[in-house]
Amino acid sequence: MPDDAMPDDDPRLTDPDPAPIVADTKDWTWVLERPCPECGFVAADVDPAAIGSTVRSLAPRWRAALERPDARVRPEPATWSVVEYAAHVRDVNRIFATRLHAMLATADPVFANWDQDATARADRYDLQEPAAVAAELAVAAAAMADDFDAVRPDQLDRTGRRSNGSRFTVRTLGQYYLHDVVHHLRDIGA
């Protein structure tokens, strides 16, 4: 077994009560106005017509990261493991697909709230199997890519909003969504 491989009974993989992750309470919508200093993402450079192909090109990096022998090990007690980040991105794809569909079907919908940290705890991201998450993320990312490929130019200015008042167009929703996917690849070193 390689030095960095973990046996299935390693306590770092089965902690019944892992260290809490510090909740991310930042409003990341600022990334639509200026480059992200952490990952270098520039939302203004994102062509909405390229979101689908970009998401497809990033999917293999997630799969490769989830194949690492230490994918379920947190690098620090309060930092998500690769599988936790990947489970989050899988769910980001699902949540943003729902939001995109609402924007395309309804005039200025208000999005349902989503607490990503509560979801990570409730769904025990830390205990999910990397291979299962890889498969689910691939399906969710492909569906989201297809959804963005189907957006017509005349739909890009349709609006939607979060309950906190943050407003999006289909264009900015796609840019905001793509930042999440790119940023978390940086977080896992992929």
Side-chain angles (χ1 to χ4, degrees), residues 9-158:
D9 62 348
D10 186 299
R12 291 179 292 176
L13 300 179
T14 58
D15 186 347
D17 192 21
I21 300 298
V22 176
D24 185 354
T25 58
K26 291 183 267 183
D27 181 351
W28 284 87
T29 55
W30 59 263
V31 78
L32 295 170
E33 299 167 6
R34 61 186 186 275
C36 179
E38 294 176 28
C39 70
F41 185 86
V42 181
D45 290 349
V46 175
D47 176 359
I51 291 173
S53 62
T54 302
V55 170
R56 286 184 196 89
S57 74
L58 298 175
R61 292 169 58 186
W62 282 104
R63 180 170 296 284
L66 285 161
E67 291 172 351
R68 296 177 193 162
D70 63 346
R72 289 177 53 205
V73 177
R74 289 181 172 178
E76 297 174 13
T79 301
W80 276 349
S81 66
V82 169
V83 76
E84 288 171 290
Y85 274 114
H88 167 71
V89 171
R90 172 202 59 209
D91 290 349
V92 162
N93 277 284
R94 293 170 175 169
I95 294 294
F96 277 77
T98 299
R99 291 176 177 180
L100 176 62
H101 295 164
M103 292 173 78
L104 296 174
T106 309
D108 200 32
V110 176
F111 308 139
N113 288 330
W114 180 50
D115 183 330
Q116 65 185 22
D117 300 301
T119 301
R121 286 188 304 276
D123 292 353
R124 289 305 305 259
Y125 284 179
D126 60 309
L127 297 180
Q128 293 188 22
E129 289 299 322
V133 172
E136 294 163 355
L137 194 157
V139 168
M144 189 62 166
D146 291 346
D147 288 346
F148 264 100
D149 284 349
V151 171
R152 299 183 319 262
D154 65 307
Q155 295 175 310
L156 291 173
D157 292 326
R158 292 185 62 87

